[in-house]
Amino acid sequence: ARQITQPGLLETLYGSQERTLELMPSALLAKADEELVKSLPDIFALASELEPPIIKKGSDEFVKSLEDRGCRVRYEIMKGHNHISPHAALHSGEGEEWGVQVAEFVRSKI
């Protein structure tokens, strides 16, 4: 099996390296039939500016895979954020812009 990240890191989510490769979002997208993919709503994807490179690369690749399958994706970078800071920023008065963007995106789809 191909090594996707630090040994043990994703196994806590998926159970094993093999299950990770089967169930991670990119694998599920690759296996999805055209009817399912066409039924997906518009997608708003976010990545943190200070994301670890391996995570940012995975996000970029997943968004490209979605677009390659015909999905409409809005992909934004959360300036000044790292992997865990966006959620802590909500209701703090600083770094909440991403939450406003998500709310506006959702409102525009209603």
Side-chain angles (χ1 to χ4, degrees):
R2 145 180 103 97
Q3 185 68 36
I4 56 174
T5 188
Q6 297 175 12
L9 185 64
L10 293 177
E11 285 81 351
T12 59
L13 294 174
Y14 296 104
S16 69
Q17 189 73 206
E18 292 75 26
R19 293 287 291 162
T20 299
L21 293 172
E22 288 175 27
L23 297 175
M24 62 189 199
S26 58
L28 295 174
L29 178 62
K31 290 189 280 191
D33 64 38
E34 288 305 310
E35 185 176 330
L36 175 65
V37 173
K38 287 180 181 182
S39 74
L40 294 173
D42 292 354
I43 297 166
F44 190 174
L46 294 162
S48 294
E49 178 181 33
L50 307 174
E51 198 73 84
I54 192 167
I55 294 174
K56 177 64 169 65
K57 181 178 183 233
S59 298
D60 293 345
E61 290 172 357
F62 186 64
V63 167
K64 183 175 180 344
S65 295
L66 286 164
E67 292 172 336
D68 289 349
R69 296 285 307 266
C71 295
R72 290 185 306 240
V73 182
R74 177 177 169 186
Y75 188 32
E76 300 284 339
I77 303 299
M78 295 178 286
K79 301 291 182 198
H81 282 291
N82 62 39
H83 189 65
I84 61 172
S85 64
H87 300 92
L90 287 177
H91 299 290
S92 73
E94 294 181 35
E96 301 177 293
E97 298 81 9
W98 73 271
V100 173
Q101 290 177 315
V102 170
E104 289 172 352
F105 178 81
V106 170
R107 271 194 291 267
S108 76
K109 303 301 173 188
I110 299 174

